[in-house]
Amino acid sequence: MNRILLVAVFALASAEKAPRLKFVVQEPPRFHFAKPENYMTLYHQKGTDVLYVGGQAVIYALAFTDKGVKDIKIAVALDQNTKDACVTRFSWAKPMCDNFITVIEKVNDTFVVCGTNAGTPKCWLLNNTVVSDVPNGRMTSASDISPPFPSQRSISLSADGNLYSALSAVGGQQGSIRRTYGSSKLLRTESKWLLNPQFAGAAVIPAAQKYKEEIYFFFSEINKTTSVDEQPYRARIGRICMSDEGGLRNLLADSWSTFLKARVMCGSGNTPQQYNNIKQASVLTAMEKRTGIIYGLFSNAWDTTVVCAYSIEDIDQAFSTSRLKGYSIPLSVHRPGTCRNSTTSQHADTLKIIKDHPEIEDVIRPIGEEPLGLPTEDHFTHIVADAVLAVNEEHYSVLYIGTEQGKVLKVLHTNEEAFIISQFSLFHNEGPVLSMVIDSQKGHLYVGTAMEVQRLPLADCSRYGDSCPDCILSRDPYCGWDSTRRKCVAVPVGYNITTGALLQSLDRSNASICGDVTAMKVHSTVPKNVVINSNGPVFLPCPVRSYHATYRWEKDHSGQKHYPCSISGSSCVLAPTPDLPLKEGVFRCMTLENGLKREVVSYRLVFNSAILPTSSSFLGPSLLFAAATRWIL
Ligand SMILES: *[C@@H]1O[C@H](CO)[C@@H](O)[C@H](O)[C@H]1NC(C)=O
Ligand SMILES: *[C@@H]1O[C@H](CO)[C@@H](O)[C@H](O)[C@H]1NC(C)=O
Ligand SMILES: *[C@@H]1O[C@H](CO)[C@@H](O)[C@H](O)[C@H]1NC(C)=O
Ligand SMILES: *[C@@H]1O[C@H](CO)[C@@H](O)[C@H](O)[C@H]1NC(C)=O
Ligand SMILES: *[C@@H]1O[C@H](CO)[C@@H](O)[C@H](O)[C@H]1NC(C)=O
Ligand SMILES: *[C@@H]1O[C@H](CO)[C@@H](O)[C@H](O)[C@H]1NC(C)=O
């Protein structure tokens, strides 16, 4: 009852979809490009401190420390003849006649680098800082790996000593998924399997048995013959077995023998409001286990972006049980698309079915049947996910979402909701986030815009403050409250639930675990004295930390006189009204969040003529005005 009353009085209008906290990070380590890199390819090996950035005719090898970045620039230039030929042939695309690096992958221990090479793609091997040609015969044509121009999106993935490449369709080019380099047979998709694909990502899906491992490719298909009122885009997952060695001599000989694709929906149930264009995807899987979540970033015709989550078990189920589109005969024991080990033989019948019917009938729908509850006014450009082992020995998903304005949202995704832990403003020049890489082993997130690359720690627990409720209400699974040290600390690797004593409340905000919160002293700050003219202006600032909390001013101990608090930037300023004129007394800025009421700051207001109690501290009006001006601005 008490709680309900409080909520009613405070008129809890907290925008739950908004970030709870907002941080501005302007300290190193960061790296500024000398010229904008509007197309970038990132490569980072987990557990290291080096980030490779492929740009325009250059690869930057950036070595990060907590203090700064050491950079080495490796030139991957093109020869003048190639450039001249490009300029002559593609005069409309002159600025694109350069070598934009589109692929940096480590295959076994060798770095493979490919670039657009002014419309005639080329690959190289990179050894330390030396770029050399690829030995003949080890690789398909470079134009199967890299697009001729950087605006055509490509995806590359290195797995088990092989390189996999997906090229989006453009103009006369159809687009493909291929194995392009490595010890296994080089394979490709049949052209009729993909309809103008635009690739968004790829990931290895592990399995208990090696030969059952798969690769998922995420892409959109565009049907150019749809009528105006029809959606031309269809979001897709395509899958292949990594053990695939192609079909029979005269049937799919150089093509995948296990390719299947499915339609992916992102929207509310069966409503027409669907997001059909998948832009990017991030996959979380358990090691060597077939469970996990796929996060997809989608847009609709109005370019509104949303995030949908999918269960890998659901997708597995669909691929292994669904009927195939346009094929009504019941499937035999040799189900098309099943991964085979090297000893089981290939069946011509299965191959014939796959050749003409690679699409399953079942549609993949998101967890919870709708997109995550995130603000739609932000335009999302990139997403990466991390599975964080929390204090209760459960894994929690944390998403990092880059926006068009150069911000990064840190989001906790639980079974019930998406909770925006914080928003980071990172960049001096606020361009769109072009790329992100996460290193969960080392605990780093790398974020790139056309002007800058920056590294953030995943666990940055001291940011939340030094009280138990501040730490708990952050709902950051990387952080826990250490009651003996009285600090918000990163949950250490190998934390043991039986011996450890860290506190967290992740499923819902609940600061009660900090102890009996109601018994906490409400008036916890010492009022600062403020002397003003009774008819002069006054600005009493109160710093806003949580944007999920409500703020207001209370006068004296009665707790009954409430002055509104008008939020201006990151401060809530006491705003007297004609109905509530300023009077002498103690003003306390109170915050309420999740039923927890706390005092932020307090002032004792004294009019000029009155006599000050001598024992208390004194804050001069000039100082106050200075502070207020800063807050107001
Ligand atoms: C890379 O270069 C070093 C010398 O700088 C050489 O010893 C090494 O064999 C090279 N590695 C490969 C894979 O070519
Ligand atoms: C990668 O290593 C494996 C095992 O050593 C070898 O069989 C394969 O040929 C190598 N792949 C490449 C591309 O060098
Ligand atoms: C493209 O859309 C048109 C009109 O809806 C339809 O007739 C056609 O079958 C579609 N093409 C494909 C390949 O799905
Ligand atoms: C391959 O599959 C067959 C039949 O399922 C099985 O008997 C055999 O042990 C498998 N071999 C390997 C290497 O997994
Ligand atoms: C946690 O600590 C307890 C008690 O020392 C021990 O018995 C248990 O094996 C530990 N658990 C793990 C996962 O290390
Ligand atoms: C909050 O935590 C306390 C102590 O663990 C528990 O008794 C209470 O039920 C929790 N409240 C909610 C809403 O989960």
Side-chain angles (χ1 to χ4, degrees), residues 49 334 399:
D49 288 301
H334 306 292
L399 307 181

Side-chain angles (χ1 to χ4, degrees), residues 3 505 508-515:
R3 168 117 185 240
S505 171
R508 54 184 58 82
S509 295
N510 184 354
S512 316
I513 62 167
C514 290

Side-chain angles (χ1 to χ4, degrees), residues 393 494-500:
E393 292 186 330
Y495 177 81
N496 187 330
I497 193 171
T498 17
T499 53

